[in-house]
Amino acid sequence: MSPVVKILSFVCLCAWLLSSECTGRVAAQTLANANLYRPAFHLSPEKNWINDPAGMVYADGKFHLFNQYNPQSDQWGHMSWSHAVSLDLIHWQELPVALAEENGVAIFTGSVVVDAANSSGFGVKGNSPMVAIYTGNSAGLQTQNLAYSNDHGSTWTKYAANPVLDLHLENFRDPMVFWFAPGKHWVMVVSLATQHKVIFYNSPDLKTWTRMSEFGPAGANAVPNWECPNFFPLPVVNQAGTTKWVLELGVGDNGPAAGSATQYFVGDFDGKTFHSENPDNQTLWMDYGADFYAAQSFSGVPASDGRRIAVAWMDNWNYASKLPTSPWRGQVTVPRELTLQRTSAGIRLVQAPVRELESLRQEHVQLRNASWKDLQAMLASRDWPQTLEIDADLQVENTPAEAAQEFGFLLRKGGSYGTRVGFDSTWNTVYVDRMHSGDLLVSQGFNQRHDAPVELANGHLRLHILLDRSSVELFAQNGLATITDLIYPRPFDNVLSAYATGHPPKVVSLDIWTLKAPSTTQSSGLPLR
Ligand code: FRU
């Protein structure tokens, strides 16, 4: 070989090596990005964009969860319903798209009911059909529409005579439908979003709807929207014999943590009209974090179970399109059991992760009647994975009034990075502080601390925290205050520690469990019929 050819071959070889190394790196990086923030125990789509949960229903032994979904990309658009099913609220199997955009009509948020008596006539051969009631969105027009399934939700047929409700309005959406047994009819709650009103309709057959009443704006003028209503009765746990109705609404913007948020009213429903008991139209927030929106709850949960189980989109319209994940964008909260509790301030919603999540617990570390120093030493003594459950009962000792007190847990710490979850005695709040969580998403007001007011119970503070790869859910004071926030920490920041300024609290009890990933999105391998 001539020296010239040798040199040329050498140059070619170098170029090839460089390019293959480069390709390898890119591939590895894409893989890392895909999995870095992929939640271990929260539902996320295998690929593409999701927003609001919709159509949540329990039927034939399975929980069905649909989401606003773009089958074509990881940005909002071409709204359709994705579909996932679960036997246990933990392992989810993603199924093909249930309802797709068609002829310029996108499928916006709505609900699904099991039409047990086949009032709609959609059932074949004595079947109780599943019926979806959704908003059809086309240019300048939102209407309410039906689709049905006679094969347990596997395939759906749009009703030929759609729409079933058309007020010729641009902002008329998100129907939530349920069977009102005392009146033997269906009820729909649907939002006139920009007017801050919901309308209540009834129907014998899901096809013809009669207007009964409306509710709103009930003081909600500082927020741009009311959307995604969810409406249900719940017993008040500490007031035997009392049941109240809860009306939840997404407010679009201007929530307590900036951006999207969910407010609720507690009151009575006589089958026609909802009467709120929130004093002076006081705004009650369901969650004080930035990432809890468009909450819905399962219909059809058997009376033998009796739980009201809610799921929210764990996201915020302020930055949803910018989340640093690929090839998927969007996830939902863990399923939460809702109860009502009478407090000194009035009746309040209380939230707890569903008990099924306990099946993910692996290693268990505990402390009883320990000092803050003991706690710090224990946390420093081992490595922690990125998926944890922390449950602490802390006794706040009396401190001189001037000694401001702040304490809590520092999650995913590394260098000056970390997410603080703690208590601030100056304001009497618990908080999630993601100001220094990471650098990947710093615009749109992402890097903030989010506070929720709490009252200590005889000096006790309970912090119950779920940490997944890209989220923190805090249930404080047994779920009376919750804060839900996304986080995007650096992958190698994995230290868990505890901090305190002023007088630290006593650790009455602390339990930490590492949590395993239940393979949430792709086929779970569970025997689904
Ligand atoms: C709320 C919302 C709903 C609407 C859907 C569209 O997040 O704006 O009101 O149905 O998203 O994707």
Side-chain angles (χ1 to χ4, degrees):
M1 219 187 275
S2 77
V4 176
V5 172
K6 264 189 193 158
I7 287 168
L8 274 177
S9 311
F10 181 66
V11 168
C12 284
L13 182 69
C14 285
W16 178 80
L17 276 176
L18 275 176
S19 72
S20 81
E21 197 200 328
C22 190
T23 319
R25 263 200 213 135
V26 170
Q29 209 163 355
T30 310
L31 197 67
N33 282 344
N35 296 321
L36 202 51
Y37 298 117
R38 168 75 76 188
F41 57 93
H42 290 83
L43 178 68
S44 61
E46 187 173 346
K47 59 179 190 201
N48 296 333
W49 164 283
I50 59 162
N51 55 287
D52 316 352
M56 292 170 58
V57 64
Y58 180 83
D60 307 316
K62 279 184 233 156
F63 292 94
H64 294 254
L65 177 57
F66 304 81
N67 273 98
Q68 285 289 278
Y69 180 66
N70 183 348
Q72 300 182 21
S73 95
D74 62 4
Q75 293 295 331
W76 187 89
H78 301 288
M79 279 297 109
S80 302
W81 279 19
S82 62
H83 188 186
V85 286
S86 173
L87 297 174
D88 60 2
L89 294 163
I90 307 297
H91 298 80
W92 291 96
Q93 182 178 9
E94 193 171 333
L95 300 178
V97 166
L99 289 170
E101 177 192 48
E102 202 177 345
N103 303 326
V105 181
I107 317 292
F108 274 19
T109 296
S111 48
V112 169
V113 293
V114 175
D115 182 7
N118 194 18
S119 66
S120 61
F122 291 142
V124 287
K125 295 187 203 134
N127 238 348
S128 299
M130 290 169 77
V131 181
I133 307 95
Y134 64 90
T135 298
N137 183 75
S138 48
L141 182 66
Q142 295 186 336
T143 59
Q144 313 321 321
N145 299 264
L146 305 179
Y148 54 91
S149 169
N150 277 302
D151 55 7
H152 311 284
S154 296
T155 57
W156 292 82
T157 307
K158 289 175 187 145
Y159 178 39
N162 277 336
V164 291
L165 254 180
D166 180 2
L167 302 185
H168 310 292
L169 288 175
E170 193 174 357
N171 282 290
F172 176 48
R173 62 177 175 271
D174 307 340
M176 190 260 166
V177 172
F178 61 95
W179 177 250
F180 186 67
K184 297 194 177 62
H185 59 73
W186 299 100
V187 171
M188 179 196 292
V189 192
V190 57
S191 162
L192 295 175
T194 45
Q195 297 179 43
H196 307 98
K197 281 183 183 165
V198 289
I199 311 183
F200 291 84
Y201 290 89
N202 72 33
S203 170
D205 58 4
L206 297 165
K207 294 171 173 166
T208 50
W209 292 95
T210 306
R211 186 183 180 119
M212 297 194 289
S213 64
E214 60 178 47
F215 174 76
N221 298 316
V223 296
N225 258 336
W226 269 7
E227 50 192 18
C228 306
N230 193 215
F231 187 58
F232 48 84
L234 271 184
V236 182
V237 286
N238 53 352
Q239 196 174 325
T242 306
T243 292
K244 291 286 170 192
W245 285 77
V246 179
L247 175 63
E248 293 170 13
L249 293 155
V251 302
D253 203 354
N254 295 346
S260 317
T262 305
Q263 75 171 112
Y264 70 96
F265 295 88
V266 179
D268 290 317
F269 182 62
D270 58 11
K272 284 193 175 132
T273 312
F274 173 66
H275 299 280
S276 160
E277 291 176 3
N278 290 25
D280 303 323
N281 290 328
Q282 178 192 11
T283 304
L284 301 177
W285 297 109
M286 196 167 165
D287 189 284
Y288 283 81
D291 299 302
F292 184 94
Y293 198 57
Q296 291 293 310
S297 56
F298 286 102
S299 66
V301 175
S304 55
D305 179 318
R307 287 177 296 174
R308 178 58 60 170
I309 301 165
V311 166
W313 181 40
M314 195 151 59
D315 213 325
N316 191 310
W317 281 114
N318 275 2
Y319 44 71
S321 65
K322 304 206 162 44
L323 304 186
T325 62
S326 174
W328 58 283
R329 187 168 275 125
Q331 56 180 302
V332 300
T333 64
V334 293
R336 300 176 178 191
E337 181 176 357
L338 305 182
T339 49
L340 280 179
Q341 191 178 311
R342 181 169 282 288
T343 70
S344 55
I347 298 175
R348 294 289 182 270
L349 261 182
V350 174
Q351 301 174 57
V354 289
R355 58 175 175 267
E356 286 85 344
L357 275 159
E358 291 171 14
S359 67
L360 301 179
R361 291 174 177 173
Q362 302 290 287
E363 285 174 66
H364 182 200
V365 181
Q366 55 175 315
L367 284 180
R368 295 289 180 267
N369 297 317
S371 70
W372 201 251
K373 276 214 168 78
D374 295 336
L375 165 68
Q376 288 172 317
M378 187 275 277
L379 295 180
S381 70
R382 52 159 293 163
D383 294 331
W384 298 97
Q386 297 181 347
T387 50
L388 289 173
E389 177 178 357
I390 302 170
D391 196 355
D393 177 4
L394 306 172
Q395 171 81 53
V396 179
E397 317 257 74
N398 285 338
T399 57
E402 69 276 12
Q405 201 180 10
E406 221 186 298
F407 58 79
F409 295 94
L410 186 50
L411 314 174
R412 300 295 304 271
K413 174 175 149 47
S416 56
Y417 291 89
T419 300
R420 296 189 312 147
V421 180
F423 172 74
D424 187 336
S425 72
T426 309
W427 307 104
N428 262 321
T429 56
V430 287
Y431 61 79
V432 173
D433 179 352
R434 62 179 183 187
M435 276 195 279
H436 304 289
S437 293
D439 297 322
L440 281 183
L441 186 54
V442 291
S443 59
Q444 280 77 31
F446 187 85
N447 288 24
Q448 286 175 350
R449 165 174 144 170
H450 303 132
D451 286 54
V454 286
E455 269 181 42
L456 299 180
N458 297 323
H460 283 257
L461 177 74
R462 181 166 174 217
L463 297 175
H464 187 189
I465 303 165
L466 295 178
L467 173 70
D468 202 343
R469 296 192 187 113
S470 48
S471 67
V472 177
E473 286 168 275
L474 167 64
F475 301 84
Q477 296 308 63
N478 301 322
L480 263 171
T482 67
I483 302 181
T484 305
D485 274 348
L486 293 172
I487 53 169
Y488 296 100
R490 300 186 305 176
F492 38 84
D493 291 340
N494 286 318
V495 171
L496 173 63
S497 68
Y499 60 91
T501 58
H503 199 75
K506 207 169 92 191
V507 181
V508 180
S509 72
L510 171 83
D511 294 276
I512 304 182
W513 292 271
T514 65
L515 298 179
K516 73 174 170 199
S519 72
T520 45
T521 51
Q522 289 87 46
S523 173
S524 63
L526 284 174
L528 291 159
R529 283 167 290 152

